[in-house]
Amino acid sequence: MVDEERAGEVVDTPPERKSRKLPLTAVAVVLLLALGIGGYLWQSRQPASGGTGESTPKQAKVELYLPLDPAFVVNFRDAESLRYLQVGVTLMSHDPAAIEVAKAADPVIRDALVALFSNQDFAIISDAAGRQKLQADALVAVRRIVKARLGRPGIDALYFTSFVMQ
């Protein structure tokens, strides 16, 4: 009879416990996603810095080249004989205004470089260190001319595109 009473009676089963792991996981994922996006935005607004502590430009500037044609040809005398030097020179700058100034001052630049090249000693410029010093001296001469006209050096590099001695 007890079984019959229980048969008619609806037994309340305890309600199933809902899993709280799903909402907690969803909140954690949303929180991590928000922190990641915030960190990315914060980092992208910070100025980029190199290893030297200087800030790098946001956009890399284009290198502009100006070949000084025709090549420079000079004669110079050493202890033994008359020597011949032919040097092809190209200027490089990131500043378009400096390139325009160098184009306008081409005769002045050529004169300064011819004077520099013709006053060289064959024994010095016949090795690599001498050529590098000559290249550095030529860059200083060109920068001086451009700075006098533009107010800033403007020329970043000077390259010897050919170097023939005889």
Side-chain angles (χ1 to χ4, degrees), residues 13-49:
T13 59
E16 288 189 31
R17 195 167 180 204
K18 292 185 180 179
S19 174
R20 291 190 180 198
K21 289 183 181 179
L22 183 62
L24 183 61
T25 304
V27 168
V29 167
V30 170
L31 181 63
L32 286 174
L33 185 62
L35 286 173
I37 291 172
Y40 172 76
L41 292 175
W42 179 78
Q43 186 69 20
S44 67
R45 292 184 186 207
Q46 298 296 319
S49 62

Side-chain angles (χ1 to χ4, degrees), residues 58-108:
K58 292 189 183 239
Q59 182 181 19
K61 293 184 178 182
V62 176
E63 293 177 347
L64 304 169
Y65 296 96
L66 175 64
L68 299 179
D69 289 326
F72 294 87
V73 179
V74 295
N75 293 319
F76 58 95
R77 184 172 292 282
D78 70 348
E80 298 173 11
S81 64
L82 186 66
R83 297 291 182 162
Y84 161 84
L85 174 67
Q86 178 183 359
V87 182
V89 176
T90 299
L91 305 177
M92 189 277 291
S93 178
H94 292 99
D95 184 3
I99 292 292
E100 291 303 317
V101 166
K103 282 181 187 176
D106 184 64
V108 178

Side-chain angles (χ1 to χ4, degrees), residues 2 54 60 67 100 109 120 141 163:
V2 174
E54 298 175 3
E100 291 303 317
I109 291 172
Q120 297 304 308
F163 196 90

